Amino acid sequence: EAGVTQFPSHSVIEKGQTVTLRCDPISGHDNLYWYRRVMGKEIKFLLHFVKESKQDESGMPNNRFLAERTGGTYSTLKVQPAELEDSGVYFCASSPWTGSSYNSPLHFGNGTRLTVT
Amino acid sequence: GDSVTQMEGPVTLSEEAFLTINCTYTATGYPSLFWYVQYPGEGLQLLLKATKADDKGSNKGFEATYRKETTSFHLEKGSVQVSDSAVYFCALRGTGGFKTIFGAGTRLFVKA
């Protein structure tokens, strides 16, 4: 099966610009997550979709971040306008919906490295 | 809230040395515990997991035991190889939700 794919792999933008990251989860995975790792620190949760619905967006830093998952397939994460502190690696992960999803592992993409200058 | 603390790196070892990467957690109830590994240029992938106290997860020569009494899930390998050089992340997921909490990662360098 194809894995989780993310695009682009790298993005360099100037402060104030807009960037949109895309994630294609593994086909059939209802759970989709966005995470971010900044400067070698812990990987922080941003939000969780179940199909097209936002299940938990408690980790979204502020209203400059907007995530969508129209149709319950791929997802986009838009940052508008970007600030310097948004730099980091953005990971997408997916997992199937099961009765015991709490112990199902996540399948990660390779990440998008975002640099805001 | 739930949290994971793992030893800071980098850890540098010679080939065939014994590896331990410490991980402790704070959580209510009985979370599931995971170790993920990120090889250079790749995304994270599951290395092993344990879902209840005293469970031992193992894979590729790595092991970790879920210790409820010490809230720990230390990663061990008896003889590391150069190909084990990577960043290792300890993580937990509580029974009450779907959010996985990660530690800061420990970078391992193995020298030939």
Side-chain angles (χ1 to χ4, degrees), chain A residues 31 33 35 37 40-43 45 48 55-56 58-59 91 95 97 101-111, chain B residues 30-32 34 36 38 41-46 49 51 87 89 93-95 97-105:
Chain A
N31 292 307
Y33 304 82
Y35 284 85
R37 189 178 192 218
K41 296 186 178 178
E42 68 269 26
I43 298 173
F45 169 85
H48 169 215
Q55 183 80 8
D56 180 352
S58 61
F91 290 104
S95 68
W97 178 271
S101 289
Y102 76 95
N103 63 21
S104 296
L106 301 177
H107 300 260
F108 279 83
N110 287 356
Chain B
Y30 292 85
S32 292
F34 306 84
Y36 285 83
Q38 183 184 22
E42 300 181 9
L44 282 75
Q45 55 186 272
L46 178 70
K49 70 176 186 180
T51 58
V87 182
F89 294 90
R93 185 185 302 158
T95 54
F98 292 86
K99 185 188 304 184
T100 300
I101 308 297
F102 288 86

Side-chain angles (χ1 to χ4, degrees), chain A residues 69-84:
Chain A
R69 193 183 181 195
T70 306
T73 53
Y74 72 91
S75 175
T76 58
L77 179 64
K78 180 189 290 188
V79 185
Q80 179 182 30
E83 298 289 344
L84 299 178

